[in-house]
Amino acid sequence: MGAEVSVCGPATLIPRNIENLGVKVLNNIEESIKNHDILNVLRIQLERQAGSSFHPLREYHNYFGITKQRLDKYNKDIVILHPGPINRGVELSSEVADGPYQIILDQVTNGVAVRMAVLYLLGTMN
């Protein structure tokens, strides 16, 4: 559909060979913010990280967390998506999660209906 898709995060969370799908891999969240109009920030499933080699949460937030300071640095309109629930202070700062950039509550409100419509349309394609 013409979108340039990139992923950014710790190497341990980036699927191997994702570049083969036409996806660009970035290692710097600043570059992601600077070069994109939409950020779809995924939730760190903390309940699945027990005993894994996951980065400490503070370190993750320092390197990859979306903060107001990072967004303000580029002074641009950007849309923040997130599937919820948010781990505040990990993926997003509270200022971003509650700020004018996010459309997270719209996603939550309409998410089930949209998924149902997609499944219905896929079912009628046969």
Side-chain angles (χ1 to χ4, degrees):
M1 297 183 73
E4 179 184 315
V5 178
S6 301
V7 295
C8 182
T12 55
L13 296 181
I14 304 290
R16 287 187 187 156
N17 303 317
I18 196 167
E19 299 93 347
N20 295 340
L21 299 173
V23 174
K24 185 176 181 179
V25 176
L26 303 174
N27 299 25
N28 183 309
I29 195 63
E30 305 276 344
E31 186 179 355
S32 294
I33 294 168
K34 178 181 175 185
N35 295 317
H36 295 87
D37 300 317
I38 301 170
L39 297 179
N40 187 10
V41 182
L42 298 182
R43 177 178 174 268
I44 301 297
Q45 295 178 338
L46 299 175
E47 64 276 11
R48 295 183 183 201
Q49 300 305 325
S52 74
S53 60
F54 188 73
H55 296 271
L57 297 181
R58 181 173 291 156
E59 180 180 331
Y60 178 89
H61 182 73
N62 287 340
Y63 284 104
F64 299 103
I66 308 300
T67 64
K68 186 173 183 322
Q69 293 77 18
R70 283 190 163 130
L71 295 176
D72 287 349
K73 183 175 179 180
Y74 297 100
N75 193 28
K76 63 186 255 185
D77 289 330
I78 194 164
V79 175
I80 306 292
L81 302 164
H82 190 289
I86 299 167
N87 295 306
R88 290 174 183 263
V90 180
E91 304 108 9
L92 304 173
S93 69
S94 288
E95 285 180 300
V96 172
D98 298 326
Y101 319 99
Q102 62 84 17
I103 59 169
I104 298 165
L105 295 179
D106 295 332
Q107 281 180 266
V108 173
T109 299
N110 299 313
V112 172
V114 169
R115 286 190 291 277
M116 288 172 58
V118 168
L119 290 172
Y120 173 78
L121 290 172
L122 288 172
T124 62
M125 293 177 73
N126 293 331

